Amino acid sequence: MHVSRVLVSASLFGLSLSASSCNGKWATLVQSTLSSSTTIQCAAANQRWSDFAAPSPGAVVTVGNENDVAKIIAAASKTNTPFLVQSGGNGWADTFNISSTGIIIDISQLKNISFNKNKTQVTFQAGVTNEDMINAAWDNNARVSVSTCNCVSLLGATLGGGLSRTQGTYGLNIDNLISVNMVDASGVKKTVTPKSDPQLWWALTGAGANFGVVTSATYKSQPVPQAQNTAWTGLVFFNESQIEEVITAIDQLTLEPAMQMDIYFTASPLDGKPGVIFLPFYLGSEEVGRQKFASILNIGSILDTTEVIPYNTWNSAGDPFCTDGGRKPSYTIGLKKMEPTAWRNVWNAYTEFFNSYAEANLTTILTECYPTAATAKSVQSDGSTSYPFRDIKCYAIAIPWYTSPSIDAAAIAWGQQVRSYWAASAGTSCTSSYVNFAHGDESLAQIYGSSLGQLKQLKKKYDPYKRLNQWFPLS
Ligand SMILES: Cc1cc2nc3c(=O)[nH]c(=O)nc-3n(C[C@H](O)[C@H](O)[C@H](O)COP(=O)(O)OP(=O)(O)OC[C@H]3O[C@@H](n4cnc5c(N)ncnc54)[C@H](O)[C@@H]3O)c2cc1C
């Protein structure tokens, strides 16, 4: 079907969308039922973080309020119109199956955030990004657990588990969820808490995209005055000849609850050439932070930019990764071990790819490491969430980054090669791939781990017609 790029606004008189311009069968059904702030745009998919395997819908409906999400899903269900919900647009998986007969329900404009009086809870809508939440929390003398990059939607990350720099102290994002308002696969609104429907809650907290569209949520918040809302962090640059030493030290370091660390192979901001950058994070003072990470810092870096910085800048180092557009078919694996020889192979593969394609000079190997003991034991070990990988220490991701589709085949081969180096030395009995970082070529057992069997059963109950089937579908 040929679709034109026509922007049609809902008005008091209903949507004036013609069948010839934009997925008309479906639009006729929702006509005049949506709020005036909801818009429909034909064909032009919203900007996404990666253009590789991006959905190609017949229409993008940008919703103005939560009720409209329910109406749109009900109409889509009645007409068997495939739909995909999009918030931050950062999902890079190749599991999308949306073409001109399908629609994207864009929830990114749902931006309300409100704190309770004593700042122990925050209620927010589905379009709220990590950056939105950080800024609101900062203004409210509060600290809310968010993920590492500003552009990611807080709920998008949370529904897959939600890794966070502070997860050793406050748990994964899912451990901070108190209740959600969602729309189910047939367009019915529900409020779900751990008590109201324990099975659905369990499924939502790790495989959420398969079970509902969450339009808003209530989440834990910590009252922390701005002056105390700080951490010690920053970039530490190493020489490539130190890779084995750095990797060994990272592998041997047991992270305490207040600690977190990343390591990158990426174009160095110092000279644009491939570099090795370590990023320690300590929820405390510089003095204690340096002691905790001494085994790595004592290797001797080229440059150490760490300092104590306020909560509203913790994510700043990740801002370059938030750049939309380009092709980034990424590959991941969960690691309990980091083996120096494997990482030398990864470095060699990284520099070879980087040097082979001038336009791929933002290609990055990113590895995030978290304190497993805290998330596995002290925070939430009662099995009330389906996130299966609380014992994984490090999440490694190979991100090829370029614009020309002619590089796709080489990028895919490169990403798979890097992943195989890691897989051979991951220290796990089964290969694991965190759903939010996975590529889409993995088995469902790799994605959902020990939760898979139960999730499949619940999928039959809560989504029997397989409508929520765009993000690592369980059926
Ligand atoms: C630059 C970057 C940094 C990242 N950093 C982190 C990190 O620190 N920690 C971490 O855990 N993950 C991180 N991720 C992964 C991220 O959590 C996932 O890509 C997540 O799915 C993105 O959600 P989104 O709404 O931003 O993107 P989208 O592409 O809009 O969403 C991805 C999928 O999630 C589902 N979804 C999103 N919102 C909802 C909702 N409200 N209800 C139901 N389903 C929904 C949809 O199926 C959608 O297709 C990062 C990704 C990128 C690109």
Side-chain angles (χ1 to χ4, degrees):
M1 160 174 132
H2 177 74
V3 279
S4 59
R5 292 170 60 100
V6 183
L7 178 68
V8 187
S9 292
S11 70
L12 288 176
F13 308 104
L15 295 171
S16 55
L17 200 61
S18 80
S20 60
S21 67
C22 180
N23 203 340
K25 182 180 161 201
W26 168 81
T28 306
L29 265 172
V30 291
Q31 177 165 305
S32 79
T33 66
L34 303 179
S35 67
S36 58
S37 52
T38 289
T39 61
I40 298 183
Q41 189 174 13
C42 299
N46 285 8
Q47 181 80 357
R48 297 187 62 84
W49 184 72
S50 174
D51 296 334
F52 180 85
S56 177
V60 177
V61 188
T62 304
V63 295
N65 66 37
E66 294 181 48
N67 286 335
D68 283 355
V69 177
K71 290 175 188 165
I72 294 161
I73 292 179
S77 297
K78 274 188 200 133
T79 52
N80 281 325
T81 301
F83 62 89
L84 164 69
V85 66
Q86 178 173 314
S87 183
N90 293 289
W92 63 60
D94 72 358
T95 60
F96 301 125
N97 183 19
I98 287 284
S99 61
S100 59
T101 53
I103 57 167
I104 283 183
I105 304 171
D106 182 339
I107 51 176
S108 65
Q109 299 309 305
L110 299 176
K111 290 282 193 187
N112 288 347
I113 303 178
S114 62
F115 284 80
N116 68 352
K117 204 171 167 195
N118 60 9
K119 317 295 179 196
T120 55
Q121 292 185 8
V122 57
T123 299
F124 64 100
Q125 289 184 310
V128 166
T129 62
N130 291 326
E131 182 173 35
D132 297 330
M133 182 57 82
I134 290 166
N135 289 336
W138 180 254
D139 290 344
N140 278 275
N141 284 301
R143 179 187 292 159
V144 175
S145 293
V146 294
S147 297
T148 312
C149 279
N150 279 326
C151 53
V152 171
S153 85
L154 179 49
L155 274 172
T158 299
L159 293 173
L163 305 172
S164 162
R165 290 196 198 291
T166 54
Q167 72 183 51
T169 305
Y170 304 122
L172 293 163
N173 291 3
I174 44 174
D175 302 326
N176 287 275
L177 270 183
I178 296 167
S179 70
V180 301
N181 296 316
M182 58 164 268
V183 177
D184 74 10
S186 53
V188 175
K189 291 190 291 177
K190 289 178 179 170
T191 298
V192 185
T193 68
K195 284 200 174 141
S196 74
D197 189 339
Q199 285 187 322
L200 183 53
W201 183 265
W202 181 83
L204 284 169
T205 49
N210 266 272
F211 289 91
V213 176
V214 176
T215 54
S216 58
T218 298
Y219 197 85
K220 290 179 193 165
S221 162
Q222 318 295 325
V224 183
Q226 286 183 356
Q228 290 162 30
N229 202 352
T230 59
W232 171 77
T233 187
L235 303 180
V236 181
F237 296 77
F238 286 99
N239 195 298
E240 66 100 354
S241 64
Q242 297 170 305
I243 285 173
E244 283 80 359
E245 253 186 301
V246 172
I247 292 296
T248 303
I250 289 175
D251 179 54
Q252 289 175 356
L253 183 62
T254 300
L255 294 172
E256 295 173 18
M259 299 164 76
Q260 191 270 327
M261 60 186 170
D262 300 338
I263 179 149
Y264 305 82
F265 295 166
T266 193
S268 168
L270 302 177
D271 58 9
K273 294 184 180 154
V276 179
I277 303 176
F278 176 66
L279 188 148
F281 177 91
Y282 183 68
L283 194 58
S285 69
E286 170 163 6
E287 189 190 0
V288 181
R290 286 194 176 281
Q291 286 166 15
K292 301 288 181 190
F293 286 98
S295 60
I296 298 166
L297 300 177
N298 288 347
I299 292 169
S301 60
I302 305 167
L303 177 67
D304 181 335
T305 69
T306 55
E307 58 183 334
V308 171
I309 58 172
Y311 169 76
N312 61 348
T313 63
W314 292 353
N315 277 359
S316 301
D319 283 344
F321 286 106
C322 275
T323 309
D324 274 347
R327 303 176 79 77
K328 302 159 188 155
S330 303
Y331 291 83
T332 191
I333 200 162
L335 303 173
K336 288 187 180 175
K337 282 256 357 125
M338 291 174 74
E339 207 276 312
T341 312
W343 283 79
R344 174 57 63 181
N345 289 335
V346 171
W347 170 264
N348 290 341
Y350 162 67
T351 52
E352 192 185 335
F353 187 75
F354 184 104
N355 292 328
S356 298
Y357 303 98
E359 63 169 273
N361 62 359
L362 292 173
T363 295
T364 294
I365 300 288
L366 161 62
T367 306
E368 304 178 353
C369 302
Y370 296 90
T372 52
T375 52
K377 294 192 189 111
S378 64
V379 178
Q380 190 112 354
S381 59
D382 58 2
S384 62
T385 62
S386 56
Y387 179 72
F389 302 130
R390 288 175 184 268
D391 58 344
I392 289 295
K393 178 180 175 186
C394 297
Y395 298 77
I397 316 168
I399 308 172
W401 188 321
Y402 53 93
T403 51
S404 169
S406 66
I407 299 177
D408 283 349
I412 288 166
W414 174 78
Q416 291 177 343
Q417 173 73 70
V418 170
R419 186 176 58 181
S420 71
Y421 289 139
W422 287 323
S425 58
T428 53
S429 50
C430 303
T431 304
S432 70
S433 306
Y434 173 40
V435 65
N436 284 350
F437 293 164
H439 181 85
D441 63 341
E442 303 87 349
S443 70
L444 286 180
Q446 277 173 241
I447 304 289
Y448 295 109
S450 56
S451 295
L452 179 61
Q454 178 74 0
L455 284 171
K456 279 187 157 180
Q457 289 302 319
L458 293 175
K459 180 77 171 171
K460 284 183 200 155
K461 174 177 174 185
Y462 290 105
D463 184 18
Y465 301 108
K466 306 176 184 178
R467 288 176 179 139
L468 296 161
N469 258 18
Q470 295 293 327
W471 189 245
F472 297 91
L474 280 156
S475 55

